[in-house]
Amino acid sequence: MIIPKEPKLTKEQFEEVVSIVEEYNCRIQPIEGHHRTIYAVLGEERETIMVNRILGLDYIDRFDAVDSPFKLMDIHSELAHHKIKIGDHIVGESPFIIAGHCTIDPKNPNLFIESAHAVKEAGAKAIRGGVWKPRTMPYSFQGDDSSMKILIEAKEQTGLPVDTEVMDDHQLQIAVEAGVDILQIGARNALNYSLLKQVGQATADKRIAVLLKRSIGMGPINEFIAASEYIAAGGNADVMLCPRGTSPTMDGYRNYPDESITPLLKDKTWAPVIVDPSHSVGRAKFVPSAAMAAMAYGADGVIIETHCDPKRGIGDDPKQSITPDVLRKLIQDIDQIWEIRKHYKKELPVTA
Ligand code: PEP
Ligand code: MN
């Protein structure tokens, strides 16, 4: 990781650094923070001659080699203090709640707009709405490009940032051009490394955050963090990790709830953790307790399927969506959990 003396390298300085590292088969990935840009060296960054040549440049402050497979996402990386700003919200400073439909019904745009206003009023900080959906059966409704207009209409009317899942390059381009604020990478694509790279590259320098779901069969914590490293190495470090339940399921729930991995993730990576209790437990009546558990485990927020009239929803909404009234109460309770958590950080620090 190269840290320049000034907040950013000039074009000429950047080119000089690139030409040096390329001699050693490395490449440079600039990571733009809010106040400064740092330059990740991807490849064998410990090559002594290369390091010394870089350190010899009078505009370079430091060269930190990261002793971790996660050069960018590791808790000890240079990005450890990186903050992700979405809309007016700095993730980590207060609970980040994303709420809205599983799926936008293009035949019924007003329902989504009504839910968007209702979740804002309930206290959500961002709106979710599936434009395209990964479905088990190819004959089920797959979503529709036309729903993007409805999502952006909700963003304009409420002023809140919006989140949607993308599964391929076509969807990625449409979402980036339309002004989507959070790109969701779903559980089925969390190990699709080509897509993860593409998403990192397409969103570099664009202030678009990525919400990376945990894959359905993902085991080791490192596998999840490594997937997020692909996005950051592509050029976008605004990555948030989203446990959403794994398989095999816990009998009675949709998946095996995994909000309890939050502290393990936080031990290893600085990335914010936004838990998805909706897909984890899969039934509206179980969602509030799963959401509160996630916050008690130390999550930075939750993403919750919420619908103003779940019976009229499509996709997961009829079974999984809570109503805006439940969301309002839940957000009040989450705010209290957020305060309670501080006891264990400040008054009773636990170190072992
Ligand atoms: C969703 O958020 O609606 C969804 C399909 O999630 P996942 O990828 O976690 O299944
Ligand atoms: Mn869903």
Side-chain angles (χ1 to χ4, degrees):
M1 195 81 66
I2 298 172
I3 297 100
K5 286 184 180 154
E6 297 295 322
K8 198 175 175 148
L9 294 176
T10 63
K11 189 167 170 292
E12 292 71 32
Q13 292 168 343
F14 181 68
E15 281 166 5
E16 186 173 22
V17 170
V18 167
S19 74
I20 295 174
V21 303
E22 278 180 354
E23 284 182 44
Y24 300 90
N25 297 321
C26 290
R27 68 182 181 88
I28 296 282
Q29 178 59 61
I31 308 287
E32 284 193 29
H34 290 289
H35 305 299
R36 63 185 341 225
T37 301
I38 57 174
Y39 299 83
V41 181
L42 306 179
E44 187 33 79
E45 61 170 347
R46 288 166 184 282
E47 180 59 63
T48 320
I49 306 173
M50 175 180 81
V51 173
N52 287 341
R53 282 179 65 189
I54 301 277
L55 285 172
L57 303 170
D58 60 0
Y59 49 85
I60 298 298
D61 182 34
R62 290 199 326 274
F63 190 125
D64 291 344
V66 179
D67 204 11
S68 158
F70 317 121
K71 292 183 203 290
L72 303 170
M73 302 308 290
D74 192 279
I75 186 98
H76 299 301
S77 89
E78 193 57 36
L79 289 173
H81 303 291
H82 180 63
K83 293 278 179 229
I84 301 179
K85 187 161 185 243
I86 302 172
D88 295 335
H89 192 94
I90 297 181
V91 181
E93 293 196 342
S94 57
F96 187 56
I97 314 294
I98 309 172
H101 292 191
C102 167
T103 308
I104 299 174
D105 181 355
K107 296 204 186 92
N108 226 334
N110 291 340
L111 265 185
F112 184 70
I113 300 294
E114 188 182 333
S115 293
H117 284 286
V119 301
K120 177 181 180 178
E121 203 267 319
K125 298 285 186 275
I127 296 167
R128 63 157 288 155
V131 171
W132 304 283
K133 299 307 297 180
R135 302 301 300 274
T136 307
M137 288 309 294
Y139 315 114
S140 308
F141 177 64
Q142 308 278 314
D144 196 299
D145 290 5
S146 68
S147 295
M148 182 54 77
K149 255 184 82 181
I150 306 167
L151 184 69
I152 297 302
E153 181 66 28
K155 169 175 169 154
E156 281 163 7
Q157 286 194 25
T158 60
L160 287 187
V162 290
D163 158 282
T164 205
E165 176 173 354
V166 294
M167 292 174 282
D168 59 35
D169 193 42
H170 167 75
Q171 297 168 358
L172 174 61
Q173 300 311 327
I174 294 179
V176 168
E177 271 163 39
V180 170
D181 303 275
I182 307 168
L183 294 180
Q184 192 175 306
I185 305 300
R188 291 154 193 82
N189 273 309
L191 294 172
N192 180 345
Y193 298 124
S194 333
L195 181 67
L196 300 179
K197 271 190 221 169
Q198 263 178 330
V199 167
Q201 287 161 3
T203 55
D205 316 331
K206 291 212 166 67
R207 293 271 166 271
I208 298 175
V210 180
L211 182 74
L212 175 67
K213 298 274 193 111
R214 188 170 184 220
S215 145
I216 294 168
M218 219 178 233
I221 299 291
N222 281 2
E223 197 178 22
F224 194 11
I225 302 174
S228 70
E229 181 81 18
Y230 268 94
I231 300 167
N236 184 4
D238 286 358
V239 188
M240 303 181 288
L241 299 174
C242 180
R244 46 78 72 204
T246 51
S247 209
T249 61
M250 160 110 57
D251 191 21
Y253 289 153
R254 179 171 174 175
N255 283 292
Y256 198 100
D258 60 350
E259 62 278 342
S260 61
I261 71 164
T262 304
L264 300 177
L265 291 169
K266 291 202 159 281
D267 238 16
K268 293 192 164 193
T269 173
W270 55 266
V273 178
I274 307 293
V275 172
D276 174 349
S278 304
H279 291 83
S280 163
V281 295
R283 298 271 297 280
K285 66 178 176 181
F286 300 136
V287 165
S289 40
M292 288 189 284
M295 296 309 297
Y297 269 115
D300 297 276
V302 280
I303 175 165
I304 301 186
E305 290 184 343
T306 309
H307 197 293
C308 58
D309 190 358
K311 292 187 300 301
R312 294 170 69 203
I314 59 174
D316 292 330
D317 287 315
K319 64 180 176 13
Q320 252 171 230
S321 268
I322 60 171
T323 60
D325 281 344
V326 174
L327 181 71
R328 181 181 308 106
K329 180 75 187 99
L330 181 56
I331 291 177
Q332 288 163 5
D333 292 341
I334 284 174
D335 286 343
Q336 286 194 45
I337 295 170
W338 189 272
E339 291 308 312
I340 291 168
R341 262 168 37 182
K342 290 181 184 164
H343 298 309
Y344 301 92
K345 281 193 191 143
K346 290 194 187 133
E347 293 155 33
L348 295 165
V350 184
T351 47

